[in-house]
Amino acid sequence: YGELSVGTVRPEFRSWLLDLCSRHLANGSADAVILGCTELPLVVDAADLAAPVLDTTSLHVDAILDRALDS
């Protein structure tokens, strides 16, 4: 977290995280990847995986804007 919070992404961490996600997607224990931490989109991009990647920060912002613009 200390590195990610200042925008530093070590290649070995990125590789580890993508491998972890890919293994779970391949063995069927996951259908999608949820980026539930605001720093994780710095590491994983939707184009990195052949499955849906849900960025919770982006989803929340979109929902807030939709709600604000509907008012």
Side-chain angles (χ1 to χ4, degrees):
Y1 172 81
E3 295 169 347
L4 289 178
S5 65
V6 294
T8 301
V9 178
R10 290 181 301 139
E12 57 271 16
F13 176 69
R14 183 174 192 283
S15 178
W16 174 83
L17 186 58
L18 288 173
D19 180 60
L20 177 71
C21 295
S22 295
R23 280 187 283 130
H24 283 283
L25 293 166
N27 73 17
S29 64
D31 296 322
V33 174
I34 298 172
L35 303 177
C37 175
T38 56
E39 286 81 13
L40 288 179
L42 298 171
V43 183
V44 176
D45 186 81
D48 293 328
L49 298 164
V53 176
L54 307 170
D55 175 354
T56 59
T57 301
S58 178
L59 292 170
H60 281 110
V61 168
D62 290 346
I64 291 166
L65 286 173
D66 286 346
R67 177 75 180 231
L69 295 174
D70 284 343
S71 299

